[in-house]
Every structure is written in structure tokens, then in C-alpha cells.
Amino acid sequence: MEGLVEIVTAKELYNRSEVGLYELQTFMFRDKTIMRFSDLRSAIKFGSYFVHKFLIPKYGIEEAKKFPMAKSGPFRDDAFEESLGLKKPDLNQETWLVIPKDRYSEVQEYIDSLKE
């Protein structure tokens, strides 16, 4: 899969000191699986294909909109400015897609379907 670096749990990132205890305990990372992509374009491409080729055909558009996936990434000094729209996102920046552990099986089902 293009740009995918690894799939890890937030706890694994904490154990490797890539996220702190605060981040691990927040809603954003608690009980989550993280798909690390080398760049924003790859993450967007994966997310778009996942929605259009898997979620919408399986659940319909209204339910697909409710799928709990968030974009995040490693801590950066400029992330706050980017979130406020004061700075354009760097398309080459590592990007994480964060998915609740209890819903990750659907993502894995999609990934497995790509191998067939």
C-alpha cells in the first residue's frame, strides 16, 4: 500500500516514546490503532479509497460518514497554526490515520480485499 509505514497501537507508540502519556490517555489516542503514512497524500488516497470502495458500498453514504477515523500525526510546532487554517498543510509531512480498536477490523477487511 502506497506510503504506509506501519500499523501500530497508540500503546506501542507510547512504549517507543513517540507519544507521551498525556497523548496516550486522551480521547484522540486511547484505545486506538494508528496507520502511519509517509505523507499526507498517501493518507488521503487511502482514506478516500476506503470510504468510496468499501464503506459506502457496504453501509451507504450516511453510515459511511459516521466512521470514526481521524487525521493526526507526530507532534509538530506548526500543527496548531495548521489546524486554525493559518498555514497550509505540508503534503510531505508524515500523517497518521487514527481508528478506534473496535472498528479497525473493518479497515483490515478492506486491506485484505486489496490483496485478493
Side-chain angles (χ1 to χ4, degrees), residues 71-80 82 87 89-90 93-94:
K71 179 180 92 58
S72 186
F75 177 76
R76 302 184 338 259
D77 291 334
D78 60 351
F80 184 67
E82 194 176 290
K87 181 179 180 192
D90 178 356
Q93 180 70 41
E94 180 178 331

Side-chain angles (χ1 to χ4, degrees), residues 3-58:
L4 181 64
V5 175
E6 68 177 337
I7 299 170
V8 296
T9 64
K11 182 129 173 104
E12 289 175 67
L13 291 177
Y14 172 73
N15 290 339
R16 296 188 319 211
S17 300
E18 294 185 49
V19 297
L21 184 59
Y22 174 76
E23 288 86 4
L24 180 65
Q25 294 175 339
T26 63
F27 177 74
M28 183 64 169
F29 291 109
R30 184 179 47 237
D31 297 324
K32 302 293 193 301
T33 298
I34 292 104
M35 298 181 72
R36 295 177 74 164
F37 288 88
S38 58
D39 57 89
L40 179 58
R41 283 186 187 105
S42 296
I44 290 171
K45 183 177 178 180
F46 175 84
S48 177
Y49 283 14
F50 173 64
V51 169
H52 292 283
K53 294 183 177 192
F54 183 80
L55 289 179
I56 292 174
K58 186 171 184 169

Side-chain angles (χ1 to χ4, degrees), residues 65-108:
K65 288 179 188 178
K66 298 175 187 176
F67 189 84
M69 181 183 287
K71 179 180 92 58
S72 186
F75 177 76
R76 302 184 338 259
D77 291 334
D78 60 351
F80 184 67
E81 292 172 352
E82 194 176 290
S83 70
L84 294 176
L86 301 174
K87 181 179 180 192
K88 289 186 179 187
D90 178 356
L91 298 177
N92 297 314
Q93 180 70 41
E94 180 178 331
T95 302
W96 301 354
L97 296 181
V98 182
I99 304 116
K101 281 185 186 179
D102 64 340
R103 295 295 300 268
Y104 181 74
S105 63
E106 293 164 275
V107 176
Q108 189 61 53

